[in-house]
Amino acid sequence: MVRNILDAFAVEALHSNRISRFPLNIRRYNHHMLRSSFAINFICSTKKRWHQSERKKVAAARAHVDHIPAYTAVAVGVAAENEKQQPAMPLELAAGSGDVAVDAASENAKRQPALPLELIALVTVKRKSENKLNTMKDMMLRLLGNYASPNGQGDHHNHKGVVLQLVSTQIHTKEMKPKLSEEAILHWKETLKMGAGKCITYQVKFVVDSNFGMPGAITVSNRYNSEFYLDSINIEGVVHFACNSWVQSEHANPAKRIFFSTKAYLPSETPAGIKELREMELIQLRGDGTGLRKPSDRIYDYDTYSNIGNPNKGIEYIRPILGGSNHPYPRHCRTGGPPTKTDEKLESPVNEFSTLYVPRDEEFEESKREAFDLGRLKAIMRHIIPALTKVARDSDEFKAYSDITGLYRDGMPSITKNMRNLPLPNILNKVQEYLKFDPTKLNSRFTACGLPDDEFGRQAIAGINPLSIERLTTFPPVSKLNASTYGPQESALKEEHIQGHLNGMSVQQALEENKLFILDYHDIFLPFINQINAMDDRKAYATRTLFFLTSLGTLKPIAIELSLHQTNSDSPSKQVLTPPVDATTNWLWELGKAHVCSNDSCVHQLIHHWLRSHACMETFIIATHRQLSAMHPIYRLLKPHMRYTMKINALARQFLINSEGIIESTFTAGKHSMEISCAAYRDWWRFDLEGLPADLIRRGIATPDPSQVHGLRLLIEDYPYATDGLLIWAAIERLVQTYVHYYYPDTAAVDSDTELQAWYKEWINSGHADLRHASWWPQLSTPDDLASILTTIIWLSSAYHAALNYGQYPYGGYVPTRPPHMRRLLPQEHELEYATFIEDPEKYFLSSLPSLLEATKYMAVTDIISAHSPDEEYIGERKDLSTWSADPVIIEAFYRFSMDTKRIEKEIAQRNSNSSLRNRCGAGVSPYELLMSSSEPGVTARGIPNSISV
């Protein structure tokens, strides 16, 4: 190890027969002596101005080798190399200083012939899980004699092994080529290894010459027939390579893998020895835009959503291509799948037993995959028993509220009663206990139909979708849709509908005092309302809901407008509901709120959740891998915020947003769901307004106010999502500003960063090709521009997504309070079913909800995606801080950010216990914890992972 390295002068003395002047321990001629020259040369090759004390240590090491251990010299060299880049300074030549000795030693080393040195490297790999399928596969391959794995099994012919080669940061001055070590061969069984469990560390030896300089990169070739996971490589305990990647066999990919040390470099600062490798690595990741992607590939490229339909199954399964002039949309990662039989422009979807391509390192890690697979298995089993229940009673409707509450209390509804004639009832009763749904945050409080008015209003600012509420600026509201196509733009809401619910205010006074707010889904749904209502078991309105801000800071619903797009004079196209005055209007009011909730659930999922976080952030991930080197400081900052997102999105394209997927079969818009998402992207989405402060201002919920802590004045002071979110936003912003200004002190540094500019340009022009000409895209010219863009990206990838995702089951898992769709419109007095409604309004309400199978399917899916996996990495946590070990400013910034997240969590807890904050504290009121940073695994309704995950 480094502590045993001796100075190269000992070797020189040995060769010149002057060995007698050295102590006995130095006279032992071995490889430790040879490695010493690397240590001193390591220092002398760094073009930095060292601290005076460091220079004297190095001079002393040259003059008196037995007075200073070489590991001290190596540490000094690393410290010098890791200093921030600055122009080389002339060395002082004052008499008596240690500087003369250092300079002389450096020149001496250049004149001396290069000596072979031996460096020890520790290579850590991870075992593959030993499930039965892998074990049988391995056995067959070993029988064929062509397999080896890091589990220590397989053949070991001379041509097998993992070939590693170090690349110096320096180049040969004459040949102008990078300095390379000799190749080192790692054999799984023959190479010395340490450790047990999932990680195994192997020791390999590199041979370099004494003028090698600092290792900056390492190339890896896998000559075995199977991939392996390379965790890290450590050279002499000084230079570290955090690889964290699957290395494919040469047979699958003949190109050498390239890994860089943890030292971050801007493009202009890249050492000459690794500049070419930096460019080569990016070229490999971009691919050539052709061919079918294999699971082993690492290629990131763009494509439209052409594989969510399945025309091979029939015309009813055709879905439009998302992306392009007809249906503008962000791009996703290209898979290169084969075309369908009926339309070569459409890509054939993969079957349910296959997986869509994502680059190999974007796949789930083992613990994540196991947790996800277990959740899917449980969801499937939860769906079996309701199906048997349907068979047993020949009905799929909820007959009474006990059918719904039974989903939670006993696991499944009345199995022994409804299924007593089916075989194995005792076994089914045992299974149901395992498959029961946990109580949600709402069904433990509300066991009747719908939400009480106070909770209905609270959910708009402290529920799973706190992003749709807006301040009402004009009364009555006015549509922006084309009047010739969709009818009058004026709302049916009149002053007389709301005048009695404004606490004595006039409508104008309430508007001026910012007391009126709205959930406006009219323009989103009306263009699709006829198509939705033509589907089986789907009935919907385009809704508007008005709220009054009370003196307690809560929102009180005061009117609901339900709109249809039709010309039939027998049925009104617009209907207004107001708070009930009797039993009949009470049930109509509850039905109206249920329709609003189904609108809200659809918008939450298709626009705020899927579009604004998942779909739009995938484009940034693709651009980051294609244009920012792994050694780029901005890549290093963003890396944890990209984890698992592409895999989650691929699964969504396969099972959620595809034809007949979970979204279509569960939510209001059905097969028109993605068209609604496209329309929102085309007409409404703007990256410059995606940051939290800008979004609050856009919705009229806040106004700029420099006197306030966050520069904003909230018009709803007790708005849990906004107040907690601003704390998180400010912490992210401070971290990013510190980080950006450290690497980019001025505008010139931003403008001259070729990778950074290419990254931003490609993200816009390729990732958002349909909106690339929009005038609202932020400029990227200054450090503040960059900090603003990165703050928004990190916000969207972490806290924004967490607020929308991890409360889906806790706040939406009780179907009566948040139905994903409705199956009946409100009864009209002239219709036959009105009498049925009057006779049994509860039965009518229950028959309007999703069926038993639809409800349990929805509940099972939201339960899966609301859960944290055991390997979750939460905001404020970084596993790669060693990257900045020589940058105390960055280390301090990350430490401060970690402390900020812990402080914010405590502040949120205090707010949740403040009885004056009625939207988060009170009898039966659920505390708002969705923006608390930490969480245990499972469904907790809290926790902010670094990335968009489930």
Side-chain angles (χ1 to χ4, degrees), residues 699-716:
R699 292 188 283 123
I701 300 295
T703 58
D705 187 345
S707 67
Q708 298 296 312
V709 176
H710 303 291
L712 296 175
R713 182 173 70 89
L714 289 173
L715 302 184
I716 304 176

Side-chain angles (χ1 to χ4, degrees), residues 563-574:
S563 297
L564 297 172
H565 179 209
Q566 59 187 45
T567 58
N568 186 348
S569 59
D570 293 335
S571 298
S573 62
K574 298 180 186 294

Side-chain angles (χ1 to χ4, degrees), residues 258-303:
I258 304 166
F259 297 99
F260 299 103
S261 71
T262 53
K263 171 67 177 175
Y265 295 100
L266 292 171
S268 61
E269 299 171 344
T270 309
I274 57 176
K275 184 172 292 186
E276 185 178 348
L277 290 181
R278 180 174 188 144
E279 297 171 357
M280 186 183 302
E281 170 74 352
L282 290 174
I283 291 172
Q284 291 179 2
L285 291 169
R286 292 172 194 151
D288 61 6
T290 64
L292 173 66
R293 296 286 177 258
K294 305 185 299 293
S296 59
D297 286 344
R298 298 173 56 245
I299 297 174
Y300 296 78
D301 201 0
Y302 303 95
D303 202 356

Side-chain angles (χ1 to χ4, degrees), residues 303-529:
D303 202 356
T304 57
Y305 287 68
S306 61
N307 58 357
I308 61 173
N310 191 0
N312 294 338
K313 291 180 64 176
I315 190 172
E316 65 271 25
Y317 298 97
I318 295 176
R319 299 293 180 269
I321 296 175
L322 309 184
S325 58
N326 292 332
H327 295 90
Y329 215 62
R331 303 306 193 253
H332 70 77
C333 186
R334 181 182 177 276
T335 66
T340 63
K341 297 176 182 178
T342 58
D343 189 341
E344 63 179 13
K345 295 180 181 179
L346 301 178
E347 183 179 315
S348 294
V350 298
N351 62 53
E352 59 184 314
F353 302 106
S354 303
T355 58
L356 277 174
Y357 166 80
V358 293
R360 183 63 180 94
D361 290 335
E362 304 293 339
E363 290 283 352
F364 289 156
E365 293 182 18
E366 183 179 336
S367 60
K368 176 77 170 183
R369 184 178 65 250
E370 290 176 350
F372 195 78
D373 288 345
L374 179 61
R376 286 203 298 178
L377 176 61
K378 197 169 184 178
I380 292 170
M381 294 180 68
R382 278 172 163 166
H383 205 55
I384 292 174
I385 295 179
L388 294 176
T389 303
K390 177 183 177 182
V391 173
R393 67 186 189 186
D394 194 27
S395 174
D396 195 23
E397 289 186 358
F398 292 114
K399 298 297 184 181
Y401 273 102
S402 59
D403 288 345
I404 299 175
T405 56
L407 296 172
Y408 310 90
R409 185 175 59 248
D410 298 320
M412 288 296 152
S414 308
I415 286 179
T416 54
K417 177 181 177 181
N418 295 324
M419 304 174 64
R420 61 183 58 174
N421 296 324
L422 294 177
L424 305 177
N426 292 331
I427 294 177
L428 291 173
N429 279 324
K430 292 180 180 179
V431 170
Q432 70 165 339
E433 183 63 25
Y434 170 73
L435 298 177
K436 67 181 180 181
F437 287 95
D438 293 325
T440 71
K441 286 185 174 292
L442 298 182
N443 71 311
S444 58
R445 179 184 175 193
F446 311 118
T447 56
C449 62
L451 285 171
D453 284 2
D454 62 328
E455 186 65 22
F456 181 68
R458 194 181 80 88
Q459 287 294 307
I461 53 177
I464 194 56
N465 179 21
L467 288 153
S468 291
I469 191 72
E470 299 177 278
R471 179 168 58 92
L472 184 66
T473 57
T474 302
F475 186 87
V478 178
S479 171
K480 296 179 181 179
L481 296 175
N482 189 315
S484 62
T485 304
Y486 299 104
Q489 295 178 324
E490 293 77 18
S491 168
L493 288 163
K494 307 296 181 184
E495 288 196 15
E496 54 264 28
H497 289 132
I498 65 173
Q499 187 65 63
H501 305 283
L502 303 181
N503 287 6
M505 291 184 180
S506 67
V507 173
Q508 187 61 33
Q509 183 183 2
L511 286 172
E512 292 173 355
E513 296 188 17
N514 302 317
K515 295 294 185 180
L516 292 178
F517 295 84
I518 187 171
L519 288 178
D520 192 347
Y521 299 131
H522 179 276
D523 288 5
I524 294 175
F525 282 95
L526 196 63
F528 302 93
I529 207 70

Side-chain angles (χ1 to χ4, degrees), residues 53 123 137 242 245 475 490 579 607 635 672 684 771:
S53 61
V123 180
K137 175 183 174 183
S245 180
F475 186 87
E490 293 77 18
I607 299 175
Y635 178 94
H672 305 286
W684 184 80
L771 299 180

